[in-house]
Amino acid sequence: MPERQQRAADLLRHAGVLPVITVNTLDEARALADALLEGGLSTLELTLRTPIAIDALAMLKRERPGIVIGAGTVLDANNIRASIDAGADFLVTPGTPPGLADALAAADIPVVPGAATPTEFMSLRERGFRNCKLFPASAVGGLAMLKGLAGPLHDMRFCPTGGISEANAAEFLSQPNVLCIGGSWMLDKAWIEAGDYARVRETAARAAAIVREARAQR
């Protein structure tokens, strides 16, 4: 577990911003991944919210080996097995009940379990997790929650996701206990429906620049 937790910390820190994508076709998956990569974001979370998700994950791992892909919205052991079989580099959950936490602890790839309260994070910490997703971040206090967690859970690091935008990304990244932020602001639904992947690429490039500036200021 410690080695996998270190790998999880390293990949989140390297990513800085984790685009959270949901795809409906393989072509859409290719186009979005390419736009994000061209914009400078080489790590993404592909949610398991559509029937095509696992196929898209496997396809991207075959065709775009330079992209690090996490399977998101992992809800149960079946999702874990399917994601690992498809080649996922890591796993992300929106929340982590005890049974799922046990299954994640047994997984042989890095995992980022999600939670929303101090009690949940303490339960994950008891199982050896030190790098977690705060979700839905803004709804449960956002920056104030992260600052509040920093004292009692001083050895834990977070990837807040939910309600983060280009406007507040830098402020979240400035928090010492934040490894990475998750978001979908660079994946506007209207742009995708219009096939305007240039807008995705441009917004991804600005997100990558925010990460670079935040790191320079730390």
Side-chain angles (χ1 to χ4, degrees):
M1 174 73 97
E3 186 270 338
R4 280 179 285 126
Q5 278 293 285
Q6 184 59 53
R7 285 162 57 200
D10 291 344
L11 71 84
L12 290 176
R13 189 179 291 109
H14 176 76
V17 171
L18 190 63
V20 181
I21 76 171
T22 301
V23 299
N24 294 293
T25 69
L26 295 181
D27 285 342
E28 183 178 89
R30 289 187 186 94
L32 285 174
D34 287 344
L36 293 169
L37 189 59
E38 290 164 7
L41 301 181
S42 59
T43 304
L44 59 87
E45 175 186 336
L46 196 160
T47 70
L48 305 186
R49 299 178 189 175
T50 60
I52 201 70
I54 288 294
D55 289 339
L57 197 163
M59 178 271 295
L60 288 176
K61 288 307 300 178
R62 288 193 308 271
E63 298 182 5
R64 307 292 190 272
I67 300 178
V68 178
I69 304 178
T73 320
V74 171
L75 303 179
D76 53 37
N78 289 333
N79 288 162
I80 292 174
R81 285 192 294 272
S83 299
I84 292 174
D85 289 346
D89 295 294
F90 62 103
L91 306 171
V92 186
T93 72
T96 318
L100 181 56
D102 291 340
L104 291 173
D108 60 1
I109 64 173
V111 300
V112 185
T117 69
T119 298
E120 291 172 314
F121 286 121
M122 288 172 67
S123 294
L124 289 168
R125 186 179 179 280
E126 285 183 349
R127 285 178 163 84
F129 296 106
R130 294 294 185 272
N131 309 289
C132 298
K133 174 178 179 175
L134 173 65
F135 180 81
S138 293
V140 299
L143 289 165
M145 172 65 90
L146 289 162
K147 291 175 182 178
L149 293 171
L153 301 180
H154 60 88
D155 58 349
M156 296 192 72
R157 299 293 178 266
F158 302 95
C159 177
T161 305
I164 299 178
S165 67
E166 186 171 317
N168 62 15
E171 193 170 10
F172 275 92
L173 284 167
S174 72
Q175 300 307 307
N177 60 346
V178 170
L179 289 171
C180 176
I181 56 175
S184 56
W185 75 86
M186 69 293 290
L187 301 157
D188 189 279
K189 186 178 180 180
W191 303 344
I192 296 169
E193 289 177 347
D196 191 357
Y197 295 105
R199 294 285 294 276
V200 175
R201 183 175 62 251
E202 292 163 4
T203 311
R206 291 199 299 272
I210 290 170
V211 172
R212 289 193 298 272
E213 184 173 349
R215 287 171 174 165
Q217 292 177 356
R218 279 197 174 182

